[in-house]
Structures are given as C-alpha cells and as structure tokens.
Amino acid sequence: MAEQNSIPVTKVERSAKFVKTGIQIGGNYIKHYSKKLFNPDLGRDELNEDNATDIYKSLSELKGSALKIAQMLSMDKNILPKSYVDKFTQSQYNAPPLSGPLIVRTFTKNFGKTPQDIYDSFNLVSTHAASIGQVHEASLNGKKLAIKIQYPGVGDSISSDLKLVKPFAFRLLGMSEKELNIYIKEVEERLLEETDYELEVRRSIEITNACKVLDNVVFPTYYPELSGKRIITMDWINGLHLKEFLKTNPSQALKDKIGQALWDFYNFQQHELRAVHADPHPGNFMITPEEKLGVIDFGCIKEMPDDFYIPFFSLISSDVVNNREKTIEAFRKLEMIHPSDTAEQVAFYYKAYLEMITLFAKPYTSETFDFSKPEFFEQLYSYGEKIAKMPEFKQARGVKHFIYVNRTNFGLYTILHELKAKVNTGTYKPHIA
C-alpha cells in the first residue's frame, strides 16, 4: 500500500478535505440521477459504491477521529449499505501508513531522539496502520517490541473533525439532531481518552494485571519508560488476526477455545471491573501459536457507573423482565422511556424494548450458547431494520452509556459468530444485588 507523506493538520486543511469530498459526493448523486432518467429501475448499488470509495479515501487520508468513526460504522452492519461496510472495514486493518520521515519527526518531537537512537533496531515500514496510529516492529536487548505511534495532529483535531463529520453522519445514519449530538459527544469523550497514550499505558497495565486470572488470554508487557503522549512501547505478540486464523481451517474445538477466551475476557471486565475494552474489532486481537487469545490494544475503555450497570444488567440476568412494572422502572432509569411519555407511548416502548432486551439477553439466559446459529443474528438485524423505519425511534432515547456498551457486546457477538463458537456463558455473571 502507498505510504502517506503528510496529514492535513490545521482546521482549514481538514475542512477543505471535507468540502472536496462533499463536492465529489454531490457529483455522484448527479451522475446517479442522470442515469436514472434513462433507466428508472436503476438501483443505488453503484451510487453507494462511489460514495463509500470517496468517503473512505478522504477519511483514510485525514486519519484520527474521522477514520475512527468509519471503523465504528463498519461494525454496525445493520445500519449501512454493504458497500460502506466493505470499504470502511479496511480501517480495521490496513489504512494507508505514514512515511518513514514523518515517523522519525514524531519520535524526535516526543523524545528528542530518533527511533534508531532508542531501539537496537526499528523498522520504518509499519506492520499495521489504523485510525489513530500505526504499529512498527523494533527490538531492544534481544526483545521483540511493538511500537504504536499516533498520527500527528490527531488529538488536537477531534472536536473540529466531529463537527465536520456530522453532515455525513446525518445522511448515513438518519439520526435526529439531538440523538446525533449525544452520539457525537460520547464518541468525542472516548476519542480524547484514546489519543492520550499515557492514560492508555496506565489502563493497559491495570486491566492486564486484573485479567491475568483468565485462562487462554495473553497480553503484552508495557514499558512506560519508553512511552509518551504519542508513542507506546510494548512487547510484540506473535499470532494471526481473526481472518488469517480462520483461513487456516482451525478445528471446532480450537474455535470454541478462542471464543470462550473472548467471552470470559469481556464479561470478566464488565462484571468484575465495571470497565470494559470497548473496541471489539478483530484488528485488536491475535490468535497466538500457543492457541491463546492475544489482546493488543486498550485505547478505548468504557467505564459503567452503577446507575447504568444495575438497571441494564438486571434486565438480562434476573426475573425483572417477567414483571412489567419493574421492567418499565428500569427503562425509565435508562431513559428509554421518558417522563413525558403518554400511556400509549409507554405501552409502545415497553413492548419494543422488551423485544430488544429479550433478543440481546439470549446468550445470558442459558449456560451455553452456540454463536454459529444464523437465526440469532438474523433476528437481531431484522429487529434493527424494523425499528430504524419507525418514526417513534427518530428521537433520542437511552442514556449515553448505551453507545459503547451496545457496540462492545454486539461486537463481541459478531466475532463469536465469525468464529462459529459455542461457549459457556455462565462463567462471569452480572452482579446486581
């Protein structure tokens, strides 16, 4: 893949990039409707493909929060046309990397030294480039290391980028402005944390230490003395990403073993730590030669306060859903039902959300769950498509914590489905007493 020699850093440069992309998209629509004059039955596949290509190209050159949103949207397979999902999925693995001179400048700015001055060896060609940064291979004192380097200007451009992304998000997501603002605000808070590499190193050490009790999950060692605001040094973990792993045709027993490790990793965090790795895209995991799950990125952590955790998990792990009044009380605490709702609205949202919770909770309501079954996911996507068309859901509902907690759990479900894993779901249960 061609290297990128510069990143638009100033607000003017980044705004100009968005404007140019908007003009390209406008041209795509003109081309589409011109063709439609001669062919009224023409579908939107070509339009979606052209728009997805232009938007992804722009976001991948901008990096940072703009590309991160593309990555997040690629995981929400039920809200975007397939063309967008396919294109945006590239941001999980192989965004265009930065050139060697830019990497050297980043090191010099942060450490006053080049990477060659710090490590015994340093490969200027990145092994992995994503939305916030890219990874390089290095060695020191005989130890193989992974060096995560943040793209220049990423942390400083988050707020302005998200304002520029809003028009695209309006068109792609169809959210109300209030709902979109809640979404953007929560994303902004997490992204600001995600670009704070000193915070990431502290959290990584804390969470990996806590998770050492888990079977078949391994983590890199982090080196604070070789890390800083824009650079993280950690051990290199050998292994295959999920797609590469599945191409090796692993046994069902091995897929179940990795799936169990994933389930335990996430539910231990949710229920024992109340803080969870909230970026469950496949690029953050490796399957090691020792047949263990390697977790290589703790940039995005979502903490769950009691006023969210208790009502939410009471709905999926207790008999609350069998009691209409208790269920409605939990929905009110979670702002899924509003104080101003009429009796008819309460009845409508109670029925709709009960269907959603019942679906979501299926893996939790038995001791084992087979994620290979397509019926479960067909029901989930069908429900998502159904409510997306309902005018009652055009207004914002639900506390902000849903954005990342839902993303985390549905992301976990999706990876387990790709693994076709059968797991014991009773290992780490919610604590709601």
Side-chain angles (χ1 to χ4, degrees), residues 264-280:
D264 291 350
F265 172 65
Y266 272 99
N267 283 281
F268 176 81
Q269 290 173 89
Q270 288 191 123
H271 308 309
E272 304 300 326
L273 306 182
R274 299 281 183 91
V276 65
H277 177 287
D279 199 5

Side-chain angles (χ1 to χ4, degrees), residues 204-214 219 268 273:
S204 299
I205 293 171
E206 290 170 3
I207 294 176
T208 56
N209 283 338
C211 289
K212 284 180 179 177
V213 298
L214 300 174
F219 310 98
F268 176 81
L273 306 182

Side-chain angles (χ1 to χ4, degrees), residues 297-323:
D297 191 304
F298 283 90
C300 184
I301 302 296
K302 175 61 185 173
E303 296 179 354
M304 291 181 281
D306 283 355
D307 58 3
F308 170 80
Y309 178 89
I310 292 172
F312 177 66
F313 282 103
S314 72
L315 290 165
I316 68 171
S317 62
S318 70
D319 61 354
V320 165
V321 291
N322 297 323
N323 183 307

Side-chain angles (χ1 to χ4, degrees), residues 126-160:
S126 73
T127 59
H128 173 66
S131 52
I132 302 295
Q134 62 189 46
V135 176
H136 290 252
E137 183 182 333
S139 66
L140 183 63
N141 300 325
K143 184 167 286 190
K144 189 176 180 182
L145 302 172
I147 316 302
K148 183 176 171 181
I149 304 166
Q150 189 175 128
Y151 301 130
V154 163
D156 300 327
S157 63
I158 290 172
S159 297
S160 57

Side-chain angles (χ1 to χ4, degrees), residues 178 182 307-308 311-312 315 327-339 341 349 353 393 395-402:
K178 181 180 178 183
I182 293 172
D307 58 3
F308 170 80
F312 177 66
L315 290 165
T327 300
I328 290 175
E329 181 184 355
F331 286 163
R332 289 188 188 279
K333 288 178 180 178
L334 295 167
E335 298 179 19
M336 300 158 77
I337 292 178
H338 295 170
D341 286 340
Y349 287 113
Y353 285 128
F393 287 96
Q395 61 175 302
R397 287 192 177 257
V399 294
K400 67 177 184 178
H401 305 294
F402 275 115

Side-chain angles (χ1 to χ4, degrees), residues 75-333:
M75 296 164 62
D76 295 328
K77 294 180 174 60
N78 61 323
I79 64 172
L80 288 181
K82 185 176 184 297
S83 299
Y84 288 92
V85 173
D86 291 345
K87 188 64 65 174
F88 289 0
T89 298
Q90 294 181 35
S91 63
Q92 298 179 7
Y93 296 101
N94 55 353
L98 295 188
S99 65
L102 263 181
I103 296 304
V104 172
R105 285 207 297 271
T106 300
F107 266 88
T108 304
K109 184 176 180 180
N110 282 269
F111 289 131
K113 298 178 180 179
T114 69
Q116 291 85 356
D117 294 329
I118 299 171
Y119 308 101
D120 293 337
S121 68
F122 183 91
N123 189 344
L124 282 173
V125 178
S126 73
T127 59
H128 173 66
S131 52
I132 302 295
Q134 62 189 46
V135 176
H136 290 252
E137 183 182 333
S139 66
L140 183 63
N141 300 325
K143 184 167 286 190
K144 189 176 180 182
L145 302 172
I147 316 302
K148 183 176 171 181
I149 304 166
Q150 189 175 128
Y151 301 130
V154 163
D156 300 327
S157 63
I158 290 172
S159 297
S160 57
D161 269 5
L162 291 177
K163 289 174 184 174
L164 294 169
V165 165
K166 279 179 72 173
F168 294 99
F170 262 124
R171 178 167 284 175
L172 288 174
L173 302 180
M175 291 180 176
S176 69
E177 184 169 6
K178 181 180 178 183
E179 187 177 22
L180 185 61
N181 286 338
I182 293 172
Y183 183 93
I184 293 291
K185 182 63 177 174
E186 176 73 353
V187 169
E188 181 178 358
E189 289 177 7
R190 298 286 77 74
L191 285 173
L192 286 169
E193 291 181 352
E194 203 166 342
T195 56
D196 184 346
Y197 277 7
E198 291 173 325
L199 173 64
E200 179 175 342
V201 169
R202 291 196 300 272
R203 280 177 161 175
S204 299
I205 293 171
E206 290 170 3
I207 294 176
T208 56
N209 283 338
C211 289
K212 284 180 179 177
V213 298
L214 300 174
D215 292 332
N216 301 315
V217 187
V218 295
F219 310 98
T221 297
Y222 291 83
Y223 300 95
E225 69 278 10
L226 295 172
S227 304
K229 289 183 179 296
R230 300 290 180 261
I231 296 168
I232 296 177
T233 298
M234 65 187 105
D235 283 343
W236 184 277
I237 289 188
N238 289 314
L240 300 174
H241 286 300
L242 181 65
K243 286 186 177 180
E244 300 166 328
F245 170 69
L246 291 175
K247 286 179 181 177
T248 67
N249 195 28
S251 68
Q252 187 59 51
L254 178 53
K255 290 190 289 185
D256 290 347
K257 178 182 176 181
I258 298 301
Q260 188 67 56
L262 265 168
W263 179 269
D264 291 350
F265 172 65
Y266 272 99
N267 283 281
F268 176 81
Q269 290 173 89
Q270 288 191 123
H271 308 309
E272 304 300 326
L273 306 182
R274 299 281 183 91
V276 65
H277 177 287
D279 199 5
H281 72 74
N284 282 338
F285 303 102
M286 309 289 286
I287 292 84
T288 72
E290 296 76 29
E291 300 184 348
K292 295 181 183 294
L293 175 72
V295 186
I296 57 176
D297 191 304
F298 283 90
C300 184
I301 302 296
K302 175 61 185 173
E303 296 179 354
M304 291 181 281
D306 283 355
D307 58 3
F308 170 80
Y309 178 89
I310 292 172
F312 177 66
F313 282 103
S314 72
L315 290 165
I316 68 171
S317 62
S318 70
D319 61 354
V320 165
V321 291
N322 297 323
N323 183 307
R324 186 178 188 275
E325 294 308 312
K326 286 184 178 179
T327 300
I328 290 175
E329 181 184 355
F331 286 163
R332 289 188 188 279
K333 288 178 180 178

